[in-house]
Amino acid sequence: MPKIVVDVMPKAELLDPQGKAVAGALARLGNTAFSDVRVGKRFELTVDGAVDAEVLASVRAIADDLLSNGVIEDVVDITVLDESGAHSGAGASGALA
């Protein structure tokens, strides 16, 4: 069964205390190549049946209304994975973001 992956991130203009904590930990551990870290959320929705335009539109609405808080977060990517976990053609990586 295909899966749809929804990635949600804090809005760019907002502080990300969790990302800041991770960035600080990386620096303390000697990983100095990274200047910033943002922490977000990933949702995987398994689809019973084929992924078509109607299912993708439904996922967009769900992502906007339920999976993210529009005041402080953005839905940055909606990706369709086939049964093997590879990107499928329709709606893959960023098509709806």
Side-chain angles (χ1 to χ4, degrees), residues 18-75:
Q18 191 174 7
K20 189 171 180 84
V22 172
L26 288 173
R28 285 190 302 279
L29 293 171
N31 296 296
T32 59
F34 307 101
S35 61
D36 189 32
V37 176
R38 304 285 290 172
V39 176
K41 301 183 289 189
R42 173 185 168 117
F43 299 91
E44 293 185 1
L45 295 90
T46 302
V47 180
D48 294 329
V51 176
D52 58 16
E54 184 177 334
V55 169
L56 289 173
S58 176
V59 168
R60 170 49 90 180
I62 290 167
D64 289 337
D65 296 340
L66 179 66
L67 304 180
S68 66
N69 177 342
V71 174
I72 61 170
E73 297 173 317
D74 289 322
V75 176

Side-chain angles (χ1 to χ4, degrees), residues 66-93:
L66 179 66
L67 304 180
S68 66
N69 177 342
V71 174
I72 61 170
E73 297 173 317
D74 289 322
V75 176
V76 295
D77 194 28
I78 296 176
T79 305
V80 178
L81 304 178
D82 64 20
E83 293 176 16
S84 70
H87 295 280
S88 73
S93 196

